[in-house]
Amino acid sequence: MPASPDHPARPRISDKWPARHPERLQLYSLPTPNGVKVSIMLEETGLAYEPHLVSFASNDQLSPEFLSLNPNNKIPAIVDPDGPGGQPLALFESGAILIYLAEKTGQFLPRDAAARYQTLQWLMFQMGGVGPMFGQLGFFHKFAGKDFEDKRPRDRYAAESRRLLSVLNQHLAGRAWMMGADYSIADIAIFPWVNNLIDFYAAGDLVGFVDFPEVQRVLSAFLARPAVQSGLKIPA
């Protein structure tokens, strides 16, 4: 419908974040654990993309322009001008974006059906467990929740985070990566959150991170990858 005084034009993501390179995939994000999953994946695949910073400090995620792309007001989100069938595709939710980019490029997601679903199960393990639990622990350990006198919420999330680390530690014994010899979107999803738990949240002592040598080993290998080092800083 054309714009009119009674029917103004709906906001678009490009109204607030104009693309300098509209032919490239557009990334709208912030370097949080969920955000860097996608920037790391883009760096790993070598796809041409243009990053845009969505600032929480100025509530960019609540702007009409951002909500036109993601009504759930969460980062990251993308617009791929060369989506399926050559048509533009707008997409949000980091897990969905990782799967899409893996399928678009044929990288970091096994073609074998059984290995594919096993990779996706560990992606869902991160989405349903690691991310929410580590994030809640961060709130109660580093942010406003740390001032609560009642430490039971913090201790509950610390115990669950420790349990999840134990699951990872057991699984990684004898494996280079989550899927064995092959690096995958499961690693790209999980290890930004492990890194954030230990580095940004400074919760290593609280969860007893020294007790998980296999997780430490793979985290170190993950952080040594050049694409990870770049992706962790994007968008600047």
Side-chain angles (χ1 to χ4, degrees):
M1 178 183 294
S4 71
D6 294 329
H7 298 282
R10 293 180 179 178
R12 299 174 300 173
I13 192 74
S14 58
D15 294 338
K16 189 174 180 70
W17 292 276
R20 292 176 297 170
H21 304 282
E23 75 283 0
R24 299 179 185 177
L25 185 147
Q26 304 294 306
L27 169 66
Y28 307 89
S29 191
L30 189 69
T32 67
N34 281 335
V36 299
K37 291 182 204 172
V38 176
S39 55
I40 289 170
M41 180 66 171
L42 287 165
E43 289 290 309
E44 292 279 14
T45 61
L47 278 173
Y49 72 102
E50 181 176 351
H52 303 275
L53 180 68
V54 179
S55 172
F56 288 178
S58 54
N59 287 323
D60 283 350
Q61 76 277 17
L62 301 177
S63 67
E65 293 84 359
F66 188 76
L67 292 173
S68 72
L69 176 57
N70 184 359
N72 195 35
N73 65 268
K74 302 292 184 182
I75 59 93
I78 65 169
V79 175
D80 185 359
D82 184 26
Q87 298 300 308
L89 176 69
L91 202 59
F92 61 87
E93 284 295 331
S94 58
I97 296 171
L98 287 181
I99 296 169
Y100 170 69
L101 293 175
E103 293 183 339
K104 177 182 176 73
T105 63
Q107 299 181 64
F108 308 118
L109 184 60
R111 296 181 182 275
D112 173 76
R116 170 188 166 85
Y117 287 114
Q118 289 165 355
T119 305
L120 293 177
Q121 84 179 347
W122 287 110
L123 173 62
M124 300 307 160
F125 172 84
Q126 184 278 303
M127 300 291 293
V130 167
M133 295 302 105
F134 288 12
Q136 291 292 345
L137 179 56
F139 173 79
F140 285 103
H141 181 62
K142 183 180 176 70
F143 296 110
K146 73 178 186 300
D147 297 324
F148 294 0
E149 292 184 10
D150 187 347
K151 297 305 179 186
R152 285 176 294 180
R154 184 203 67 179
D155 293 346
R156 173 182 174 85
Y157 289 116
E160 179 61 7
S161 296
R162 182 175 172 83
R163 188 191 71 80
L164 292 167
L165 288 168
S166 180
V167 172
L168 289 172
N169 199 69
Q170 181 177 4
H171 175 74
L172 288 168
R175 292 181 170 92
W177 301 103
M178 290 299 298
M179 287 305 296
D182 296 327
Y183 180 75
S184 73
I185 59 172
D187 303 290
I188 295 171
I190 290 168
F191 286 99
W193 274 103
V194 176
N195 183 54
N196 201 69
L197 178 72
I198 305 310
D199 185 22
F200 184 65
Y201 293 159
D205 290 342
L206 184 60
V207 298
F209 193 60
V210 295
D211 296 332
F212 306 109
E214 301 294 341
V215 180
Q216 293 179 52
R217 170 182 58 81
V218 180
L219 175 61
S220 294
F222 179 74
L223 294 175
R225 295 177 70 90
V228 171
Q229 293 172 14
S230 299
L232 286 171
K233 303 172 185 175
I234 297 172

